[in-house]
Amino acid sequence: VARRYLRARRGESELEFARVVAFSDGVFAIAITLLVLTIEIPEHTLSIYDQLLSERGDLLAFALSFAVLAKLWGFHHRFFAGLGEFDQGLIWLNFAYLAFITLVPFSCELIGDYYADPVAIITYAANMAALGIVGVVMTEYSFRRDLVKPEVAAERADQTGPANWIVPGIFLASVPAAFISPFAAIAMWLLIFFVNRRSRSRLEAE
Amino acid sequence: VARRYLRARRGESELEFARVVAFSDGVFAIAITLLVLTIEIPEHTLSIYDQLLSERGDLLAFALSFAVLAKLWGFHHRFFAGLGEFDQGLIWLNFAYLAFITLVPFSCELIGDYYADPVAIITYAANMAALGIVGVVMTEYSFRRDLVKPEVAAERADQTGPANWIVPGIFLASVPAAFISPFAAIAMWLLIFFVNRRSRSRLEAE
Amino acid sequence: VARRYLRARRGESELEFARVVAFSDGVFAIAITLLVLTIEIPEHTLSIYDQLLSERGDLLAFALSFAVLAKLWGFHHRFFAGLGEFDQGLIWLNFAYLAFITLVPFSCELIGDYYADPVAIITYAANMAALGIVGVVMTEYSFRRDLVKPEVAAERADQTGPANWIVPGIFLASVPAAFISPFAAIAMWLLIFFVNRRSRSRLEAE
Amino acid sequence: VARRYLRARRGESELEFARVVAFSDGVFAIAITLLVLTIEIPEHTLSIYDQLLSERGDLLAFALSFAVLAKLWGFHHRFFAGLGEFDQGLIWLNFAYLAFITLVPFSCELIGDYYADPVAIITYAANMAALGIVGVVMTEYSFRRDLVKPEVAAERADQTGPANWIVPGIFLASVPAAFISPFAAIAMWLLIFFVNRRSRSRLEAE
């Protein structure tokens, strides 16, 4: 009964739905803009060129994290666009998702400063794996509770298949790899930008 | 007369109402995202694992404060969804509420760094008690001034009863407890996540 | 001709108008939330009570600046609610206004740390005076260009009278006062919370 | 086929379009407000006047960067107001644009602290040139893919002509100039505020 009370169609309570989406967008926008604070300003006047050069880790971490947050925002954008209803459980899952989004500037700064250290790499990988896992759980949850729009529900087999575990799986697999070589772990992450094959093939099948 | 001038139905001035809500959501989103700045980055390359471990206070404070702000956003979300009108007094109460929301990252950093110190615990408890008290005052105010929607007005006995004082009461009671043991005070706070019994029973009664 | 092209009725381009308002609200929300960063966290474990006590300047500056930004947001909120049209000039005036809004956390931190120093007091007073002046100019501009809604245009004599210069005037007058005594200057500012007499009497006259 | 799926008319998916715009506005608002963090607070009580005076670089960099971000927000505002459709490619171009927007507080702090150093000047110029280039590419892309509204499409010759390259061109030209004299480079930038001649003449031709 409680569950039914808390469940709401988008049309019936568009303002509430819009607030959840706007709040999430706010968190994404702030997290992505705070990334810039992870790039350190040189502290003394002598040879700021050398200092900037020694911060190339920061700059690469910024670029990687910006691209990751942009991609995750795209996922979040499409996910919420496909929702026809939402309930309290989904709101909490969304908060868990956003908690790991707000941790990205921390992981980004850690990896920018200590990219040769397995602990930094593992922290970053764990952050990303957590985002991947919560994202898959949100998707599964919304299909099981019939929260998705009818036209999206037809894609169930496609969207909740084992292929969804590839991205969090790669991040989890990179944890032991980081002990052997931090750079091997980073190389595994770059794989992810090429595994949207699945989603592309889904679109082409239409 | 002044009061009447400043009072507005949501339907009549939806943009004004939306601005108050959007502004509040903005403050919530920024405060919750600034929490990440309270987690310190290790300062030297040696044994960042040990350094991260020594920041488990920061991480716990982050997790607690994120959950608290998410729960308070839920309260704020439901409260404003139940409003049919608003007036200048409510806008000022809302600002007082938001002032204590913006203090959460400060209290969070203090407790993360000095969790064994009664002063840090008391600051955090006072911040939370203030949020609880202003929240109850906002609720009482909106019922007394008939600002709530008709369907919500029927729940008056339920929503403005003494049970609302439980959460701020626990935080206030934890202040003397903190002098005896900081950990006893923290244990009292964790109680709060289990006292939504009242709201749950209200829902089930429907 | 150019002027006419850039001028837009709210109804015709509600999304554009909403973007200007939302952008302004975003800047207000971020500036008000960044105020918390001006309260310093004690740096060592010993006697954090004494350290917090010595930061009472920070806490008072936070409370004052939060109240000021809330009051200014109220002004901005009412001002934009009264607009029926907007043009490029108003957008630029609004940016000038927002520039001084974003400077408030800086002035707040300065005054919190150095409240006994005339330079800090003068910086704060200059920031506030600039906000007051740009606010009055925005109001005058919107009446002269007939950008306000017809029902607001009738209040022209009331809203663009010399009484509007009281608030920036007090801040400007506090600049020489700060050289004699910083506390005299602060006392002058507190006067401002009592000079909304004018707006109150306007409302009561209705 | 994929391309068609991802392409959306504004009317059909106004919420999605509004999210992209709101997200961009959020990033702009945060970046412009974070500029204030680049102005350093004096660290000791003695002669804070002298310290503030020595930060005139910070203050000028703040003023310049605020004006630049305001101007770029105006461009972004007009660009999105002219769009009738959007697609995935445009969303990615927009993210690239926002990435360079979030870098502005970094470049601003660098130039505020080291305005006499060619490396700081070049970093700032490169940031601005990148924004100019991505802005022109976004404009060209939206015309080529017919994403603009019909009434805007008529202005194609005017909006995608070589005159668009003037602003990024001046910034690129200021890079070699910075090696000779940082101040010569800064003087070149100030030219830009006078080269909106083109857009003004376009408006007057109407």
Side-chain angles (χ1 to χ4, degrees):
Chain A
V1 177
R3 196 50 68 183
R4 211 178 325 139
Y5 176 80
L6 291 163
R7 188 163 185 160
R9 290 209 158 269
R10 277 178 68 162
E12 286 164 20
S13 57
E14 193 62 49
L15 180 64
E16 317 314 303
F17 189 79
R19 270 193 80 178
V20 177
V21 169
F23 182 83
S24 307
D25 280 351
V27 170
F28 267 102
I30 302 156
I32 218 168
T33 315
L34 286 184
L35 290 177
V36 74
L37 301 183
T38 66
I39 314 178
E40 276 158 56
I41 294 286
E43 272 171 29
H44 42 91
T45 326
L46 280 174
S47 66
I48 70 171
Y49 175 72
D50 291 345
Q51 290 177 71
L52 285 178
L53 204 71
S54 74
E55 275 160 35
R56 61 186 184 282
D58 279 0
L59 286 167
L60 285 172
F62 169 83
L64 176 66
S65 302
F66 197 100
V68 162
L69 283 180
K71 213 171 164 61
L72 293 175
W73 183 83
F75 157 75
H76 196 269
H77 184 104
R78 280 191 303 278
F79 174 71
F80 270 80
L83 284 183
E85 297 178 53
F86 66 103
D87 65 9
Q88 197 57 35
L90 192 69
I91 287 177
W92 281 107
L93 281 171
N94 190 40
F95 269 120
Y97 193 80
L98 295 179
F100 290 109
I101 290 290
T102 68
L103 282 172
V104 171
F106 169 75
S107 306
C108 174
E109 187 155 9
L110 198 65
I111 208 177
D113 289 355
Y114 305 110
Y115 49 86
D117 191 308
V119 177
I121 301 290
I122 289 165
T123 305
Y124 200 89
N127 194 347
M128 292 303 148
L131 280 165
I133 291 165
V134 179
V136 173
V137 170
M138 277 170 82
T139 308
E140 299 270 352
Y141 180 90
S142 66
F143 276 97
R144 263 184 223 172
R145 298 233 171 219
D146 289 324
L147 301 175
V148 295
K149 287 178 183 168
E151 64 266 32
V152 176
E155 301 173 25
R156 180 169 188 158
D158 203 39
Q159 290 211 2
T160 62
N164 285 293
W165 292 97
I166 292 175
V167 172
I170 290 175
F171 277 115
L172 285 175
S174 74
V175 169
F179 283 110
I180 303 164
S181 156
F183 296 101
I186 293 171
M188 287 175 73
W189 303 347
L190 297 178
L191 269 177
I192 290 162
F193 282 91
F194 300 100
V195 291
N196 51 3
R197 180 184 37 83
R198 192 186 60 81
S199 45
R200 211 181 308 136
S201 63
R202 172 159 58 87
L203 291 169
E204 277 160 32
E206 288 192 312
Chain B
V1 179
R3 197 50 66 184
R4 208 172 336 131
Y5 175 79
L6 291 163
R7 190 163 183 159
R9 291 209 158 271
R10 278 176 67 164
E12 287 163 19
S13 56
E14 193 62 51
L15 179 64
E16 316 315 301
F17 189 79
R19 269 193 81 176
V20 177
V21 169
F23 182 83
S24 307
D25 280 353
V27 170
F28 267 103
I30 302 156
I32 217 169
T33 316
L34 286 184
L35 290 177
V36 75
L37 301 183
T38 68
I39 314 176
E40 275 157 56
I41 294 287
E43 272 172 29
H44 41 91
T45 326
L46 280 174
S47 66
I48 71 171
Y49 175 71
D50 291 344
Q51 290 178 69
L52 284 179
L53 205 69
S54 74
E55 275 160 34
R56 60 188 184 282
D58 279 359
L59 286 166
L60 285 172
F62 169 84
L64 176 66
S65 302
F66 196 98
V68 162
L69 283 180
K71 214 171 165 62
L72 293 176
W73 183 83
F75 156 75
H76 198 270
H77 184 103
R78 280 191 303 278
F79 175 71
F80 270 81
L83 285 182
E85 298 178 51
F86 66 104
D87 65 9
Q88 197 58 33
L90 191 69
I91 287 178
W92 281 108
L93 282 171
N94 190 43
F95 268 120
Y97 194 80
L98 295 178
F100 290 110
I101 290 289
T102 66
L103 281 172
V104 171
F106 168 76
S107 305
C108 174
E109 186 154 8
L110 199 64
I111 208 177
D113 289 356
Y114 304 111
Y115 49 87
D117 191 308
V119 176
I121 302 289
I122 288 165
T123 305
Y124 200 89
N127 193 348
M128 293 302 148
L131 280 165
I133 290 166
V134 179
V136 173
V137 170
M138 277 169 82
T139 308
E140 299 271 352
Y141 181 89
S142 65
F143 276 97
R144 263 184 222 173
R145 299 232 171 219
D146 289 324
L147 301 175
V148 296
K149 287 177 183 167
E151 63 267 31
V152 176
E155 299 173 26
R156 180 169 187 158
D158 203 38
Q159 291 211 2
T160 63
N164 284 294
W165 292 97
I166 292 175
V167 171
I170 290 175
F171 277 115
L172 285 176
S174 75
V175 169
F179 283 109
I180 304 163
S181 156
F183 296 102
I186 293 170
M188 287 174 74
W189 303 346
L190 298 178
L191 269 177
I192 289 161
F193 282 92
F194 301 99
V195 291
N196 51 3
R197 180 184 37 84
R198 192 185 60 81
S199 46
R200 212 182 305 136
S201 64
R202 173 160 56 89
L203 291 168
E204 277 159 32
E206 288 192 311
Chain C
V1 179
R3 199 48 68 183
R4 207 173 334 132
Y5 176 79
L6 291 163
R7 189 164 186 159
R9 292 211 157 267
R10 278 177 67 164
E12 287 163 19
S13 58
E14 193 62 50
L15 179 63
E16 317 315 302
F17 189 78
R19 271 193 79 177
V20 176
V21 170
F23 183 83
S24 306
D25 280 353
V27 170
F28 268 102
I30 301 154
I32 217 168
T33 315
L34 287 184
L35 289 178
V36 75
L37 301 183
T38 67
I39 313 176
E40 275 157 56
I41 294 286
E43 273 172 29
H44 42 92
T45 324
L46 280 173
S47 67
I48 71 170
Y49 175 73
D50 292 345
Q51 289 177 69
L52 285 179
L53 205 70
S54 73
E55 275 161 35
R56 61 188 183 283
D58 280 0
L59 286 166
L60 285 172
F62 169 84
L64 176 66
S65 302
F66 197 99
V68 163
L69 283 180
K71 214 170 165 60
L72 294 176
W73 183 83
F75 156 75
H76 196 270
H77 183 104
R78 279 191 303 280
F79 175 72
F80 271 81
L83 285 183
E85 299 179 51
F86 66 103
D87 65 9
Q88 197 59 32
L90 193 69
I91 288 178
W92 281 106
L93 281 172
N94 190 42
F95 269 120
Y97 194 80
L98 295 178
F100 290 109
I101 290 290
T102 67
L103 281 172
V104 172
F106 169 75
S107 305
C108 174
E109 187 155 10
L110 197 66
I111 208 176
D113 290 356
Y114 305 110
Y115 48 89
D117 192 309
V119 177
I121 302 289
I122 289 165
T123 305
Y124 200 89
N127 194 346
M128 293 303 148
L131 280 164
I133 291 165
V134 179
V136 173
V137 171
M138 277 169 82
T139 307
E140 298 271 351
Y141 181 90
S142 66
F143 276 96
R144 261 184 225 172
R145 299 232 172 221
D146 288 323
L147 301 175
V148 296
K149 288 178 183 167
E151 63 266 33
V152 177
E155 299 174 26
R156 180 168 188 160
D158 204 39
Q159 289 211 5
T160 61
N164 285 294
W165 293 96
I166 293 175
V167 172
I170 291 175
F171 277 115
L172 284 176
S174 75
V175 169
F179 283 110
I180 303 164
S181 157
F183 296 101
I186 293 171
M188 288 175 73
W189 303 347
L190 298 177
L191 271 177
I192 290 161
F193 283 92
F194 301 99
V195 291
N196 51 3
R197 183 182 36 82
R198 192 187 60 80
S199 43
R200 214 183 306 138
S201 64
R202 172 160 56 88
L203 291 168
E204 276 160 35
E206 288 191 313
Chain D
V1 179
R3 197 48 68 183
R4 210 179 325 140
Y5 176 79
L6 290 164
R7 188 165 186 158
R9 291 210 157 267
R10 278 178 67 164
E12 286 163 19
S13 57
E14 193 61 50
L15 180 63
E16 318 313 304
F17 188 79
R19 270 193 81 177
V20 176
V21 170
F23 183 82
S24 307
D25 279 352
V27 170
F28 268 102
I30 302 156
I32 215 168
T33 316
L34 287 184
L35 289 177
V36 74
L37 301 183
T38 66
I39 313 176
E40 275 157 57
I41 294 287
E43 272 171 29
H44 43 91
T45 325
L46 282 173
S47 66
I48 70 171
Y49 175 74
D50 291 345
Q51 290 177 70
L52 285 179
L53 205 70
S54 74
E55 275 160 36
R56 60 187 185 282
D58 280 0
L59 286 166
L60 286 173
F62 169 84
L64 175 66
S65 302
F66 197 98
V68 162
L69 283 180
K71 214 170 165 60
L72 294 175
W73 182 83
F75 156 74
H76 197 269
H77 184 103
R78 280 191 303 279
F79 174 71
F80 271 81
L83 285 183
E85 298 179 52
F86 65 104
D87 65 10
Q88 198 57 34
L90 192 69
I91 288 177
W92 280 107
L93 281 171
N94 190 41
F95 268 120
Y97 193 80
L98 295 178
F100 289 109
I101 289 290
T102 69
L103 281 172
V104 171
F106 169 76
S107 305
C108 175
E109 187 155 9
L110 198 64
I111 207 176
D113 290 356
Y114 305 109
Y115 48 87
D117 192 308
V119 176
I121 301 289
I122 288 165
T123 306
Y124 200 89
N127 193 348
M128 292 303 146
L131 280 164
I133 291 165
V134 179
V136 173
V137 170
M138 277 170 83
T139 307
E140 299 271 351
Y141 180 90
S142 66
F143 275 96
R144 259 183 227 174
R145 298 231 171 222
D146 288 324
L147 300 175
V148 296
K149 288 177 182 167
E151 62 267 33
V152 177
E155 299 172 27
R156 180 167 189 161
D158 203 39
Q159 290 211 4
T160 61
N164 286 293
W165 293 97
I166 293 175
V167 172
I170 290 175
F171 277 115
L172 284 176
S174 75
V175 170
F179 282 110
I180 303 164
S181 157
F183 296 101
I186 293 171
M188 288 174 74
W189 303 346
L190 298 177
L191 269 179
I192 290 162
F193 282 91
F194 301 99
V195 291
N196 50 2
R197 184 182 35 82
R198 191 186 60 82
S199 44
R200 212 181 307 137
S201 64
R202 173 160 56 88
L203 290 168
E204 277 160 33
E206 286 191 313

